[in-house]
Amino acid sequence: MLSNSSTSLTPGQAWLAARRDAREYDAQGNTLITPRYLKQLCKEQKLYQTPELNDIIYLHFKGFAKIENLEPYKGLKSLWLEGNGISKIENIDALTELRCLFLQQNCITDIENLSELKNLDTLNLCNNLIKHIANLDCLPVLKTLQLSHNFLRSAKDIEHLAHCHAITVLDLSHNKIDDEGIVDIIETMPSLAVLNLMANPVIRQIQSYRKVMVSRCKHLTYLDDRPVFDNERLATEAWAKGGLEAEREERQRQRNAEIEQHNQNFEAMRKLQEAARAKRLETYGPDQETVLSEPLEQLRKEMLSKIDDGASDSGDLHKNSLAAGEESDGATAAIRRRPEMQQSNTDSQMQASQSKTQATICLWILRHKTGMARAATTSNRRRPKRACNTAALLHQQRQRLPASRQLRTLLGNSTRHSRAARGDACTSRPGGRRAC
C-alpha cells in the first residue's frame, strides 16, 4: 500500500516527502542536526555528499537549538548558524580549519569552547544575550569581532579585549555601555583599525568623543560611521597637545600646504609647456605668418569690408532706433496731454479695421459661393437639390443665432458645402479611381 502511494506522487511531492522524512525534532519541537538531515541540506545546496569535501555549509534559519553531528565536516572553513535558537557554543572542536563562524541572532550567553579553532578569523555574535567577553585570547588570528546588540555595560565586561592583540575590526554598537573606562581598554589594542560604538550611552558622556578616540587610538582608520583621514588625525593630535588654538594652527598649516602644493603643480606644468615649446622651436623653427595668394587676399579684403559695412549699418540702425524712441516718447507725452484726441483716434482706427475685416470676409464668401455654383452646374441633378435643402436649413438656423454666430456658421458651412460639391463633380475611372 505504501509502495502504491509513493509511486503515485509527483517528483515535487516526493522531494517534499523526502525532506520531511529527513527532518527530526526533539521533545520541545526544535529541529535536530542529524547526519541524514545534513546530507539532505547538502543536496539542496548543491554541495558534496561526502562531508569532508565541503568547505562551507548553510544551517541558518532552520530552528536548531543545539550544535551537534558536525565532526565529519572537518574541511569546513565557513559555518553559518544564524537565526536559530542555539544557547551554547559546543561540539565544534573538530572543525580546526574553520575561518568564519556566524552565530548571530541566537540565544548565546557565554563565549566558550573556541580554543581549538586556531585559524578562526571572523566571529559574529551579534543579537545574542552576551554580558561578558571572555575566552578569545586563545584565537591568535582573530581579526573581526562583531558583538553589536548584546548586553555589555561596563569596562569590566570588555576588559578581556586587551589580550586580543590581533583584532582589527571591533563592533560594539547598540549595547548598553556607559563606562568611560572603555577608552583605556580600547587604547591598549595595538591593531585596532575599525571601531563602532554607536548607540551606546558612553558616547554622550565623553566630552569631544571623536577627538578623544582618534587621538588615543593611534591606528584607527574608521570610527563609527566616518573614516579617519590623515588631516583629521594631525588636527586631533594637535588638539590633544595644545588645545583648540593648536588645532586651528594645524588646520591653517594644512590649508597653506595644500595651496603650496597646487602652486608647485602649476609651476611644474608651466615648465613642461616651456620645454615643449623650446623643443618645437628647435625642431621646426619659428612660426611664419601665412602668406595668401592674390585671389585669396582679395577675397579676404572683400569679406572684411562687408563686415565693416555691416557694423556701420548696425550703428545707423541703433541711431535710428534711438531717434524713433525719442519720437515715441514725444508722441506718448502728447497723447497724455490730449486724452480725448487719443480716444477718438483709437475709435476711428477700430472702426476702419472692422470695416476692412468685413469687406474681406464678404469677398471671401462671394468667392466660395461662386466656386460652389460652378461645381453644382457640373454635377448631377440630385446634388443641387440637397444643396438647396442645406441652404434652407442654414437659413432657418441663422434666424435663431446672433449676427456674429451667423457669420461664423455661414463661413464654416459654405466651406464644407463647396468641398462636397467639388467632390461630387469628380468622375469615376474604370479602375475604381476617382479624378476631378
Side-chain angles (χ1 to χ4, degrees), residues 8-62:
S8 62
L9 294 176
T10 62
Q13 292 173 346
W15 178 80
L16 290 174
R19 182 175 180 179
R20 282 195 296 268
D21 293 338
R23 197 164 188 168
E24 299 180 11
Y25 303 91
D26 59 7
Q28 288 76 26
N30 300 316
T31 306
L32 297 175
I33 303 179
T34 60
R36 185 182 177 187
Y37 188 42
L38 288 174
K39 286 190 176 182
Q40 181 67 35
L41 291 175
C42 290
K43 185 176 181 180
E44 293 176 5
Q45 298 170 14
K46 298 182 180 181
L47 302 176
Y48 297 106
Q49 290 295 301
T50 303
E52 294 82 1
L53 298 178
N54 293 301
D55 59 355
I56 186 172
I57 188 170
Y58 300 97
L59 303 178
H60 53 306
F61 301 105
K62 302 297 182 184

Side-chain angles (χ1 to χ4, degrees), residues 194-213:
V194 179
L195 175 63
N196 191 351
L197 289 172
M198 295 176 65
N200 279 290
V202 71
I203 292 179
R204 297 189 296 271
Q205 297 176 9
I206 301 176
Q207 188 177 5
S208 301
Y209 157 74
R210 186 172 179 87
K211 292 180 181 179
V212 169
M213 297 304 298

Side-chain angles (χ1 to χ4, degrees), residues 212-226:
V212 169
M213 297 304 298
V214 172
S215 61
R216 298 185 65 174
C217 300
K218 303 299 182 181
H219 302 284
L220 205 61
T221 59
Y222 211 102
L223 177 60
D224 294 339
D225 58 344
R226 283 187 295 165

Side-chain angles (χ1 to χ4, degrees), residues 376-391:
T377 54
T378 57
S379 63
N380 54 17
R381 295 186 178 181
R382 186 179 178 183
R383 190 66 184 177
K385 185 176 180 181
R386 294 182 62 187
C388 293
N389 294 336
T390 305

